[in-house]
Amino acid sequence: MLKITIHESSEALTFQVEGKLVGDWAKELEQAWKGKSSTRDRKALIVDLTETLYIDGEGKRILARLFHDGARFRTSGTLTSCIVDEITGKSRSRRRGVLAQPLLLLLAVGVARGAPDPAPLKLTLRDAVRMALKQNPQVQIANLNIAESRENQNVARAGLLPQIGFSGSESVHRVNLAAAFGSKITEFPEHVGPFWLFEGGSTGSLPLFDFTAWRRWQASKENVTGARAQEMTVREENVQLVVSQYLGSLRAAADVKAADSRVALSKALFDQAGDLQKNGVGTGIDTLRAHVEYQNERQRLIAAQTVLKTSLYGLARLLNIDPHQPVELADESLFFQTPDYPADESIERAWLERGEMKALASEIRAAELERKRSEAERLPKLSLAGSWNLQGVTPAQAIPVYDFGLNVDIPLYTGGRIKAQTAVAGIELKKLAQQQQDLRNRIALEVKTALAELDSARSEVEVANLGVDLARQEVTQARDRFQAGVANNIEVVTAQDELSRANDNQIGALYRYNQARADLAHATGQMESLYAK
């Protein structure tokens, strides 16, 4: 579900995006943006993503296009912030630093009180997924929904079973005979009583033929099946969130390693320039240029470390663990691997495995049973009912009395109610059929898109790996030329920048490959089977 609200003021035009920015829904944001193109003037253009739950590849593409059109973004949450950072290429270390200050303050207070720091929790990707499936509140709520639907099934089944009860009473009666018969009867008293009446015994009923109750029970069984399918959908979505967050953390860790390596290289080149200047071979501008590059790399390292910390905080939040518990990644080497997709990637498999398809199919079957239940209202109902009691003016004088009967209920005229209920159920079935066709088309598009992105990302990784190798060779040759005195360190600084860009391209390509692999698993409904087993 996606909701877009446009707020327009004299200074800014704001598009507030709520829900999931995915697939065709993301294109609605682009259409809304184009629809307001005639009223933009010189107003600031803002896209508010603070209430956005999830952004897929199509959503990223739309946001990148809006950014090139001059849009600015408001974000809240690690996932959205990382995606916007990727689109804009700007660091948000200052904002994340402000968010991290309260946590650092709590940590300082704990140290001041002598509280021992908990040991870091090292998690593999599989461990993180399993922990989320066990502890995430949304998964627990989905399990409770299944339990609730089972109890509703028991309620519907009770309508097909015998009902037995017990009752007892003791009362006093005085009857006005003249009022009862309409006039006073000669030689009869005006009233009878007062007298006590004791009554106690059992009552019961048994439906012999009630097709309406039978259909209601069948529909309740389908509701249980639908609740299980919904629970599967929730599990798949939570696995997708955890995998995306874990991959984002792996990317941040790779950025930290690359930045740390570049800091060491820039420090060595800075020392080399200083030594050459002392020996009269280099110049002051060479040393100053190398020093500036060294400080730039240090700044990038600090920003990368901050992104890694905040990404790990987001992972801990998804896993619903203690905020004071530090988390470490145990699968950092996994980020640099490009394994093939091991599961069935066909559209037909996705239609079979996706929880949304199973839930909607169950909802269609329940709606069909509801229509049949409405039609069954025309059929007669047959039931057996009776009671057996002890009755008397005192308990000691009570004698057995009983009442048994066979009841037949035949609807002859209901004012069109049954016909209208059947028509409503039929309309609901048609609506669900349209939703099912739309869902099938959307799933097919997601699978094809994920396959295309996976193939593209695989090629990007190959090109990026070659680019890193070439950039390292360029740094080595530029460094040797500078050491030999045949060139100044402009070539070295340029080579450093090229290496930095190549590292960023490689890490970005690896992240896109791993994320595309996860997107394909989600599109085919195999997230849990791929990442949790």
Side-chain angles (χ1 to χ4, degrees):
M1 184 66 68
L2 179 68
K3 179 182 179 183
I4 301 174
T5 306
I6 302 176
H7 303 283
E8 189 169 1
S9 64
S10 57
E11 292 111 9
L13 185 63
T14 304
F15 292 77
Q16 184 177 2
V17 182
E18 300 174 74
K20 296 183 178 181
L21 193 63
V22 297
D24 293 335
W25 290 349
K27 296 179 181 178
E28 295 181 10
L29 175 60
E30 186 178 23
Q31 295 299 326
W33 184 272
K34 292 179 179 178
K36 285 291 183 178
S37 59
S38 59
T39 60
R40 291 182 188 177
D41 296 330
R42 296 184 179 179
K43 297 178 182 178
L45 306 176
I46 300 173
V47 178
D48 188 349
L49 302 173
T50 55
E51 297 297 326
T52 302
L53 302 177
Y54 178 69
I55 302 174
D56 70 349
E58 181 66 16
K60 294 177 187 177
R61 186 186 67 79
I62 298 299
L63 292 179
R65 179 174 297 178
L66 300 185
F67 174 71
H68 289 304
D69 268 356
R72 293 184 298 170
F73 302 104
R74 293 176 185 165
T75 61
S76 175
T78 306
L79 288 174
T80 308
S81 298
C82 288
I83 290 173
V84 170
D85 285 349
E86 181 181 351
I87 293 172
T88 61
K90 296 181 179 179
S91 172
R92 298 182 181 268
S93 58
R94 180 177 300 176
R95 179 185 298 178
R96 290 166 179 158
V98 171
L99 292 175
Q101 285 178 2
L103 295 176
L104 295 176
L105 179 60
L106 290 175
L107 180 61
V109 171
V111 173
R113 293 180 178 178
D117 294 334
L121 179 62
K122 292 188 176 182
L123 292 174
T124 63
L125 178 57
R126 182 173 284 102
D127 293 337
V129 169
R130 289 178 176 175
M131 184 177 293
L133 292 177
K134 185 182 298 184
Q135 300 181 179
N136 189 275
Q138 297 300 322
V139 177
Q140 300 302 319
I141 291 173
N143 291 330
L144 293 175
N145 288 336
I146 294 177
E148 183 180 7
S149 62
R150 285 174 178 166
E151 295 304 322
N152 289 331
Q153 179 187 352
N154 293 335
V155 172
R157 185 183 62 180
L160 300 172
L161 300 177
Q163 305 294 310
I164 301 175
F166 176 83
S167 64
S169 66
E170 188 174 4
S171 58
V172 60
H173 298 267
R174 184 184 185 195
V175 181
N176 188 328
L177 295 179
F181 292 103
S183 64
K184 183 178 179 180
I185 302 176
T186 307
E187 297 181 357
F188 273 78
E190 293 184 356
H191 66 273
V192 177
F195 60 89
W196 292 87
L197 178 63
F198 168 81
E199 186 174 13
S202 60
T203 61
S205 64
L206 174 64
L208 300 178
F209 181 82
D210 190 345
F211 218 57
T212 302
W214 175 262
R215 292 301 188 189
R216 186 181 295 113
W217 175 67
Q218 288 182 314
S220 68
K221 291 176 62 178
E222 278 301 328
N223 290 335
V224 174
T225 303
R228 290 196 184 101
Q230 288 290 351
E231 188 256 356
M232 182 189 302
T233 301
V234 172
R235 291 173 69 90
E236 287 283 305
E237 290 179 351
N238 274 275
V239 173
Q240 183 186 27
L241 288 174
V242 172
V243 170
S244 296
Q245 186 69 24
Y246 197 95
L247 292 176
S249 300
L250 289 178
R251 175 180 184 172
D255 283 332
V256 170
K257 284 188 175 181
D260 190 55
S261 173
R262 293 195 299 267
V263 166
L265 175 61
S266 60
K267 179 64 168 61
L269 293 174
F270 172 49
D271 293 340
Q272 180 187 24
D275 292 340
L276 291 176
Q277 182 183 3
K278 290 178 183 178
N279 295 328
V281 179
T283 62
I285 189 64
D286 291 333
T287 304
L288 182 61
R289 193 181 293 119
H291 196 187
V292 170
E293 190 68 18
Y294 173 52
Q295 297 304 321
N296 289 339
E297 293 298 342
R298 289 184 61 194
Q299 184 177 1
R300 293 171 185 169
L301 174 60
I302 294 171
Q305 290 171 338
T306 305
V307 171
L308 175 59
K309 290 179 181 178
T310 56
S311 184
L312 291 176
Y313 297 154
L315 180 61
R317 175 67 184 87
L318 285 176
L319 300 181
N320 197 30
I321 62 178
D322 186 354
H324 299 93
Q325 173 67 58
V327 176
E328 290 185 359
L329 305 177
D331 277 344
E332 292 189 12
S333 60
L334 181 68
F335 182 76
F336 294 93
Q337 301 174 9
T338 55
D340 292 330
Y341 185 71
D344 188 353
E345 58 192 28
S346 65
I347 296 175
E348 289 74 16
R349 178 63 182 270
W351 287 339
L352 290 175
E353 296 293 335
R354 284 286 288 266
E356 300 97 313
M357 287 294 295
K358 294 181 179 180
L360 189 56
S362 178
E363 191 174 352
I364 290 174
R365 290 192 295 269
E368 177 64 27
L369 290 171
E370 179 64 24
R371 184 182 64 83
K372 292 180 178 179
R373 185 199 66 80
S374 299
E375 292 176 346
E377 292 278 355
R378 296 189 176 94
L379 301 176
K381 298 178 183 178
L382 183 63
S383 63
L384 178 65
S387 63
W388 187 93
N389 296 299
L390 289 173
Q391 194 176 71
V393 294
T394 65
Q397 298 175 346
I399 62 173
V401 296
Y402 52 83
D403 179 18
F404 296 99
L406 190 65
N407 300 323
V408 178
D409 182 11
I410 303 176
L412 298 178
Y413 178 72
T414 60
R417 174 180 59 84
I418 297 176
K419 181 179 179 181
Q421 289 177 340
T422 304
V424 169
I427 293 172
E428 185 64 25
L429 273 172
K430 293 179 180 179
K431 289 166 57 179
L432 291 174
Q434 292 296 325
Q435 293 179 23
Q436 187 180 47
Q437 184 60 42
D438 179 68
L439 181 59
R440 287 170 63 90
N441 294 338
R442 179 165 63 83
I443 290 176
L445 178 61
E446 289 179 4
V447 173
K448 294 168 68 175
T449 301
L451 281 171
E453 291 180 348
L454 186 64
D455 291 339
S456 174
R458 184 183 291 108
S459 300
E460 287 185 33
V461 170
E462 295 175 358
V463 174
N465 289 339
L466 178 59
V468 170
D469 291 338
L470 295 175
R472 286 172 180 166
Q473 295 178 28
E474 182 182 1
V475 170
T476 300
Q477 294 181 18
R479 187 175 181 179
D480 292 342
R481 285 169 56 83
F482 178 55
Q483 179 69 32
V486 298
N488 57 27
N489 70 341
I490 293 180
E491 291 185 5
V492 178
V493 172
T494 301
Q496 284 180 270
D497 290 339
E498 293 295 335
L499 178 61
S500 176
R501 188 179 298 107
N503 282 333
D504 290 342
N505 290 339
Q506 182 190 43
I507 293 172
L510 288 167
Y511 172 75
R512 284 189 290 275
Y513 178 84
N514 285 285
Q515 186 60 57
R517 189 168 177 266
D519 290 341
L520 181 57
H522 176 261
T524 54
Q526 300 174 84
M527 285 293 295
E528 187 172 351
S529 61
L530 184 62
Y531 290 99
K533 298 179 182 179

